[in-house]
Amino acid sequence: MNTAAVSDSKTYHSINFANKFSLFSEQWSQKVIAEMNDYQFKVARLQGDFIWHDHADTDESFIVLEGQLRIDFRDGYVLISAGEMFVVPKGVEHKPSAEHEVKLLLVEPRGVVNTGDEGGERTSPLDVWI
């Protein structure tokens, strides 16, 4: 048996969302679970109101895994239920909120700050992996 071939083999693992969500409980804190090229896949738990903000240089995707998310815009809103997604175009001011806890997946370029240029206590640290 060629031992070099055995030691060079890789083990592949899928990412289990339920497992990742079991590792944290804080609200509005984004956790990176994977990267693809320059994009990060982040999970977050949301409940209550966020802040008005925008992202001048990138679109922002919201993929709801559990619950229902509301995103307010200055001229309307959208409701996103489990199994649905919505992309907020770059530069569009928005404010996410959830009456009950929502679990979601975000896909966005590495380095995007969740509060845009607004900052504040809801700003999630970048590149926190779980």
Side-chain angles (χ1 to χ4, degrees):
M1 174 183 236
N2 183 341
T3 57
V6 172
S7 63
D8 289 341
S9 68
K10 293 183 179 182
T11 302
Y12 297 96
H13 299 279
S14 62
I15 295 171
N16 182 283
F17 292 122
N19 173 263
K20 294 298 183 182
F21 280 110
S22 75
L23 300 175
F24 71 103
S25 61
E26 57 268 18
Q27 300 288 320
W28 302 100
S29 179
Q30 299 178 358
K31 310 294 185 191
V32 181
I33 61 169
E35 285 189 337
M36 179 184 71
N37 300 318
D38 295 331
Y39 281 79
Q40 291 184 325
F41 293 79
K42 303 174 184 177
V43 291
R45 294 171 174 269
L46 313 179
Q47 188 169 2
D49 288 327
F50 200 54
I51 63 169
W52 284 101
H53 69 286
D54 66 30
H55 302 281
D57 299 322
T58 187
D59 300 334
E60 184 175 25
S61 66
F62 293 85
I63 303 166
V64 175
L65 303 174
E66 291 183 26
Q68 185 177 64
L69 180 68
R70 176 182 170 128
I71 302 178
D72 287 310
F73 303 98
R74 295 296 183 182
D75 60 353
Y77 68 92
V78 63
L79 293 175
I80 313 160
S81 297
E84 296 179 338
M85 70 175 284
F86 185 82
V87 177
V88 176
K90 67 180 174 182
V92 174
E93 195 174 20
H94 59 286
K95 181 177 75 72
S97 63
E99 185 175 338
H100 303 286
E101 185 177 72
V102 169
K103 294 178 182 174
L104 78 139
L105 175 67
L106 300 152
V107 182
E108 53 196 17
R110 186 183 309 111
V112 171
V113 177
N114 67 326
T115 54
D117 292 334
E118 298 302 316
E121 66 183 35
R122 290 270 170 100
T123 301
S124 185
L126 294 175
D127 295 324
V128 176
W129 284 78
I130 60 168

